[in-house]
Amino acid sequence: MTEPREIFLIDGSSYIYRAFYAMRNLSTSKGMPTNAIYILARMLLKLIKDKHPEHLCFVLDSRGPTVRHRLFEAYKAQRPTMPEALQVQLPYIFRIVEAFGIPMLQKEGVEADDIIATAARKFKESSRVTIISGDKDLMQLVDEDITVWDTLKDKIYDREAVHEKFGVYPDYLADLLAIMGDASDNIPGVPGIGPKGALELIKSLGHLPEIIERASEIGSARSKEALLKNRELALLSFDLVRLDRDIEIDL
């Protein structure tokens, strides 16, 4: 029996930022910064040398607002704008990725995470899928055929590794993040319920919609009050955190 092919989906934004911050003070004789260009090229070369991938794809975020920004105006609003020293390098980075023969996927109004989620769902039918990223949101995609590889820590997350890190399996990661909130993406969560309380609710009652439906069964009066008072905020957070695995993209 032949081994299934392996596909690597690169979270482009994560890769680019890591390259930029890995080395500073590198520029041309005219002062144009080149650190991200240089390091990203080396990262791609190392990936190809070490893993000999048959298939690679470089996935990029939308240039403008996404569906989540329309749902919640403050989504990721606290994040600083891209440093100018990185912005000027982007055209060259894209030229390098193209020169490597690596296809790039991007769609207006759609985040890279949702494109990755859709591609992973489609490709896993016939392939092993490795997502290259340190983004915890992508770990909700992990299953028997999909893993997440955090190249910075050289850590591969399968189902058990996700459970060890978060206390829940990937199927419940969106529920956990929606309840406890996520400051990095400005996900509000449920005020008054932290990671420990969120884990207890999930373990006893299941997914967030079920938890809300069975709120009368919540043992902690504080958690029950917090959830009932912030029901709409919890469901909004759930919509913001969950990845869309059915985006229309040309693969």
Side-chain angles (χ1 to χ4, degrees), residues 7-14 57-61 105-106 110-124 129-133 135 137-139 141 146-148 243-247 249 251:
I7 290 177
F8 289 82
L9 302 174
I10 300 173
D11 179 359
S13 294
S14 172
C57 187
F58 201 85
V59 186
L60 295 162
D61 276 317
L105 275 178
Q106 186 179 44
V110 178
E111 287 189 63
D113 287 3
D114 296 312
I115 297 175
I116 290 171
T118 299
R121 177 184 64 78
K122 291 189 176 184
F123 286 137
K124 78 170 189 173
V129 179
T130 298
I131 299 167
I132 300 178
S133 178
D135 187 348
D137 293 334
L138 289 167
M139 293 183 190
L141 302 173
I146 301 171
T147 55
V148 171
L243 299 184
D244 190 343
R245 307 179 194 207
D246 200 26
I247 297 294
I249 47 173
L251 297 173

Side-chain angles (χ1 to χ4, degrees), residues 17-251:
Y17 270 97
R18 282 188 176 181
F20 180 69
Y21 287 110
M23 176 187 287
R24 308 301 289 271
N25 303 321
L26 194 65
S27 62
T28 65
S29 59
K30 294 181 179 179
M32 179 188 156
T34 55
N35 56 319
I37 301 168
Y38 173 68
I39 295 297
L40 186 127
R42 291 195 57 168
M43 287 164 67
L44 289 174
L45 285 168
K46 186 176 190 307
L47 171 63
I48 292 166
K49 180 183 177 183
D50 293 351
K51 298 297 181 180
H52 306 288
E54 291 178 80
H55 304 278
L56 273 172
C57 187
F58 201 85
V59 186
L60 295 162
D61 276 317
S62 168
R63 293 187 181 91
T66 67
V67 172
R68 289 181 180 86
H69 290 99
R70 290 194 288 274
L71 278 175
F72 185 53
E73 194 175 344
Y75 178 65
K76 293 188 177 181
Q78 84 291 358
R79 290 196 178 183
T81 56
M82 180 182 287
E84 188 179 343
L86 177 54
Q87 289 184 38
V88 297
Q89 298 183 67
L90 288 181
Y92 301 93
I93 287 172
F94 298 152
R95 284 172 64 186
I96 284 176
V97 174
E98 186 179 359
F100 270 77
I102 301 171
M104 288 181 279
L105 275 178
Q106 186 179 44
K107 185 171 183 177
E108 188 175 347
V110 178
E111 287 189 63
D113 287 3
D114 296 312
I115 297 175
I116 290 171
T118 299
R121 177 184 64 78
K122 291 189 176 184
F123 286 137
K124 78 170 189 173
E125 295 173 6
S126 58
S127 313
R128 294 194 312 273
V129 179
T130 298
I131 299 167
I132 300 178
S133 178
D135 187 348
K136 61 182 176 295
D137 293 334
L138 289 167
M139 293 183 190
Q140 62 187 276
L141 302 173
V142 170
D143 60 21
E144 291 76 12
D145 304 301
I146 301 171
T147 55
V148 171
W149 178 23
D150 184 344
T151 52
L152 185 65
K153 299 174 182 175
D154 196 21
K155 170 80 173 178
I156 293 177
Y157 288 91
D158 56 12
R159 280 177 51 80
E160 292 302 325
V162 171
H163 186 270
E164 183 182 339
K165 182 177 177 66
F166 296 101
V168 295
Y169 284 103
D171 327 47
Y172 289 91
L173 187 54
D175 305 275
L176 179 69
L177 295 175
I179 297 170
M180 71 182 202
D182 184 2
S184 64
D185 287 344
N186 220 21
I187 306 294
V190 180
I193 303 181
K196 186 179 177 182
L199 280 173
E200 289 173 357
L201 290 173
I202 290 167
K203 287 176 181 177
S204 61
L205 298 174
H207 292 290
L208 180 58
E210 296 170 84
I211 295 170
I212 292 173
E213 190 176 325
R214 300 169 61 189
S216 60
E217 301 174 37
I218 298 173
S220 165
R222 182 180 176 183
S223 292
K224 183 191 295 185
E225 183 185 358
L227 192 65
L228 290 173
K229 185 179 177 181
N230 298 284
R231 180 182 180 277
E232 296 304 321
L233 200 59
L235 291 172
L236 169 65
S237 298
F238 193 46
D239 286 338
L240 292 172
V241 167
R242 269 188 311 177
L243 299 184
D244 190 343
R245 307 179 194 207
D246 200 26
I247 297 294
E248 289 188 15
I249 47 173
D250 182 12
L251 297 173

